[in-house]
Amino acid sequence: MPVSDDPLARERAHLTSSRAALRAMREDVEALDIKDVTANWVNAVVLGRQIEDRIKALADLSHTPLFFGRLDYLHTTQEGQRFYIGRRHVHDADGDPMVIDWRAPVSQPYYQASKKDPQDVGLRRRFGYTGGELTAYEDEHLSDPEELEQTSRLLQAEIERPRVGPMRDIVATIQPEQDGIVRSDLSGTVCVQGGPGTGKTAVGLHRVAYLLYAHRERLARTGTLVIGPNRSFLHYIEQVLPALGELEVKQATVDDLVGGRVEVRGTDEAATAVVKGDARMAELLRRAVRSHAALPKESLMVVRGSRRWRVPAYELEEIVQELMDRDIRYGAAREALPQRIAHAVLVRMEQAGEAPDDRVQNAVARNTAVKAVVKECWPLVEPAKLVLRLLGDAEFLAEHAEGLFTEDEQKLLLWAKPARSVKTAKWSAADAVLVDEAQDLVERTHSLGHVVLDEAQDLSPMQYRAVGRRCTTGSATILGDLAQGTTPWATASWAEALGHLGKPEAVVEELTAGFRVPREVIAYASRLLPHMSPGLAAVESVRENPGSLDVRHTDALDQDVVAACVETLAHEGSIGLIAADARIAPLAEALTAAGLAYLSPGEETTAESRLTLVPASLAKGLEYDYVVLDEPAAVVDGEPDERTGLRRLYVALTRAVSGLTILHSAPLPHQLEPA
């Protein structure tokens, strides 16, 4: 077959060949016969599942480019070699690579190389796609001193491309500062402070994908987890990792993590939730758990056959006191106590000339008299019942809260009407975190290899501790923006948050370059920063989009909001109508009356259904091409205090990636006035 002189035709031919090679790789896996290679049905099931996962990972997504770039090296170990950079590795029938995984070391210069530091790259080529078809390319000759450095038009177009559906990956547009975070080592915890549009969420997800590539066996054993603020957010991001070929990463909210032990049916007032989320609660619970352990009052007599073995009270006291002093988990100490007592009995047996073995020691540990001592000195503690008593028994609470909480704080902690049982109690989300803490005091929580925590600024100290328990022996990627803290207990600093998480040594990276939110919009929203997060640097957006901000006063708010939605739907892309939670119902009626169909957060937008009605409380982490923001003052007034209200408004103002229309009948918050 003759080789075309048209570079674009050659690249299209390589794309066609690569897709065929990927299809062949998938067919090879599908054709595997495991009947004669598995020793038993368990092995067969495990291997079968691994094969199924491999088949899914080799899926060719028609709307997703198989490769997005090319590197032509000059010298060194890659002399004269050409590599196509894509979302996954593809090889031909001979095993030669046709597409290199973006996570491979040889791909890193695609993101890091520059005119100042070409890293032996002669040519970097970017590809442009339309509907999955390769339609354009753009070259940079990094080692050519005569060629001036320019902003990539294809890169900018990809960043600004309208989005419909779930969040997509940014693998083709990762910037050098983002790439450094993505490829940071598994052993270290990284905290990423990033304003709206800086790509912190995508960076965190791509870091998971990179770590799974670089440390697959280790993380396959220990597990990975992505924690988001709510289900709508998790649904929005859930397609990013599968698009990169990673299918095994679990997702959850903090409520999911601590749920299961009690049923959450109640809510707390803000002041109560703040106290329940305070780090001092950990010490309160520790005291309450430890209070159940007590020193023995009498000696122990163990009868075995015709022999009696006596352990005096002072020796039992020494055994119990040593376990108290070691401060190991309550449940572990309770399991160790009968063995320690049994050992003391065995010492007496040996002194009497007997030769007891481990079986005898285990039998003594199960002796009725020994069990009675354990029950007296180290009784069973049920975490949910313990928290139930703390929140319902004023005397028990006061006994353990002395020096920790004031009387007024204790009153906030106590339920107005004590519950009779764990099942009938109206537990709140904050209560569930306390039960989780108590559970860990009794029994160690399983630790994962890596945890990603997004929108971390909104967690309470006790919630940080709950997340930290899930990665005590692993590492974490912490993502957030202090300016977007919209809970009354939102963290004041990352140093404080990382301390509660148990990762004080974490490196804090700051992303200040915005790639999504237009400069005009982010500058308008940044007027709020001095009033709610003084000292925090404003995001510098690289996106020029004149006319992207439109602020309108109206006397017919509902009617004009609907009209603005109709007007905005004339544009390509997704539309978000964001309003204070109390305004959602009347706006829903107005949209329905006008015949405008709308989605709820978490429902996937399509080409036919692009308008989402978003309560301000659920807007965080979501992005829309165009946003219509209803009554900013109502967003602020809907929160328990002004700082939280301004932060909620800041979030709402920064969800737009192409244009923002603000409609208001009440005066705008004075903090939005230019400085």
Side-chain angles (χ1 to χ4, degrees), residues 302-355:
V302 174
V303 179
R304 279 184 60 81
S306 61
R307 303 295 299 270
R308 293 171 178 264
W309 308 99
R310 180 178 176 274
V311 181
Y314 77 86
E315 189 170 344
L316 290 176
E317 186 175 322
E318 288 175 357
I319 293 171
V320 173
Q321 188 64 57
E322 189 216 347
L323 287 173
M324 288 179 173
D325 293 342
R326 287 184 62 191
D327 201 28
I328 60 177
R329 280 177 170 76
Y330 187 90
R334 191 172 189 275
E335 291 178 3
L337 181 56
Q339 290 291 337
R340 298 291 177 87
I341 295 173
H343 177 72
V345 173
L346 259 67
V347 169
R348 283 160 174 75
M349 291 180 176
E350 290 169 348
Q351 289 171 345
E354 295 189 15

Side-chain angles (χ1 to χ4, degrees), residues 536-595:
L536 200 63
V539 172
E540 293 291 334
S541 179
V542 300
R543 271 195 79 182
E544 291 279 7
N545 197 2
S548 55
L549 176 65
D550 185 6
V551 183
R552 308 175 189 173
H553 178 269
T554 174
D555 293 323
L557 188 59
D558 291 2
Q559 177 183 332
D560 286 347
V561 165
V562 171
C565 290
V566 173
E567 177 185 329
T568 309
L569 282 166
H571 297 290
E572 185 182 2
S574 58
I575 315 297
L577 170 54
I578 303 178
D581 290 27
R583 289 274 299 148
I584 292 299
L587 288 175
E589 290 182 11
L591 291 172
T592 302

Side-chain angles (χ1 to χ4, degrees), residues 165-219:
M167 181 181 183
R168 62 173 180 262
D169 63 75
I170 61 163
V171 64
T173 63
I174 291 173
Q175 302 298 303
E177 62 271 25
Q178 296 172 325
D179 186 67
I181 297 170
V182 166
R183 295 177 193 265
S184 52
D185 191 67
L186 173 63
S187 61
T189 289
V190 179
C191 175
V192 183
Q193 158 65 36
T198 55
K200 58 185 178 296
T201 295
V203 166
L205 294 175
H206 285 69
R207 175 159 157 74
V208 172
Y210 172 76
L211 292 176
L212 285 167
Y213 174 88
H215 307 278
R216 189 167 300 281
E217 287 189 12
R218 178 175 170 184
L219 290 177

Side-chain angles (χ1 to χ4, degrees), residues 271-272 275 280 397 405-414:
T272 298
V275 178
R280 292 172 292 165
L397 174 62
F405 293 95
T406 65
E407 289 186 9
D408 288 341
E409 287 174 324
Q410 291 178 43
K411 289 178 182 177
L412 288 172
L413 287 172
L414 284 168

Side-chain angles (χ1 to χ4, degrees), residues 24-38:
M25 290 171 63
R26 183 180 170 113
E27 289 170 353
D28 286 345
V29 179
E30 290 173 333
L32 288 174
D33 185 353
I34 62 172
K35 292 177 183 176
D36 299 326
V37 296
T38 52

Side-chain angles (χ1 to χ4, degrees), residues 178-288:
Q178 296 172 325
D179 186 67
I181 297 170
V182 166
R183 295 177 193 265
S184 52
D185 191 67
L186 173 63
S187 61
T189 289
V190 179
C191 175
V192 183
Q193 158 65 36
T198 55
K200 58 185 178 296
T201 295
V203 166
L205 294 175
H206 285 69
R207 175 159 157 74
V208 172
Y210 172 76
L211 292 176
L212 285 167
Y213 174 88
H215 307 278
R216 189 167 300 281
E217 287 189 12
R218 178 175 170 184
L219 290 177
R221 294 193 308 271
T222 55
T224 52
L225 176 68
V226 174
I227 303 172
N230 52 58
R231 282 279 144 201
S232 298
F233 177 83
L234 292 178
H235 183 75
Y236 177 61
I237 68 170
E238 68 183 358
Q239 293 304 317
V240 173
L241 289 168
L244 299 171
E246 300 299 343
L247 307 168
E248 294 302 310
V249 181
K250 296 181 179 178
Q251 298 181 350
T253 65
V254 173
D255 290 345
D256 293 333
L257 287 187
V258 302
R261 296 187 178 93
V262 294
E263 183 182 357
V264 175
R265 297 186 296 134
T267 56
D268 289 317
E269 294 292 331
T272 298
V274 169
V275 178
K276 287 182 178 179
D278 193 287
R280 292 172 292 165
M281 289 299 299
E283 174 60 20
L284 173 64
L285 289 164
R286 194 194 71 82
R287 291 180 183 181

Side-chain angles (χ1 to χ4, degrees), residues 601-673:
E603 293 184 291
E604 193 169 313
T605 55
T606 65
E608 294 74 33
S609 188
R610 298 183 290 122
L611 175 63
T612 303
L613 179 58
V614 188
S617 62
L618 295 181
K620 190 172 298 178
L622 305 179
E623 284 185 344
Y624 301 93
D625 288 293
Y626 293 88
V627 166
V628 176
L629 176 59
D630 169 90
E631 199 66 279
V635 174
V636 178
D637 293 343
E639 299 299 328
D641 59 79
E642 184 181 71
R643 188 197 73 161
T644 305
L646 291 175
R647 288 183 168 185
R648 185 74 72 190
L649 178 58
Y650 181 76
V651 171
L653 289 168
T654 53
R655 299 306 92 201
V657 297
S658 290
L660 171 65
T661 301
I662 300 172
L663 291 101
H664 66 102
S665 57
L668 291 170
H670 69 86
Q671 294 89 347
L672 283 174
E673 296 175 2

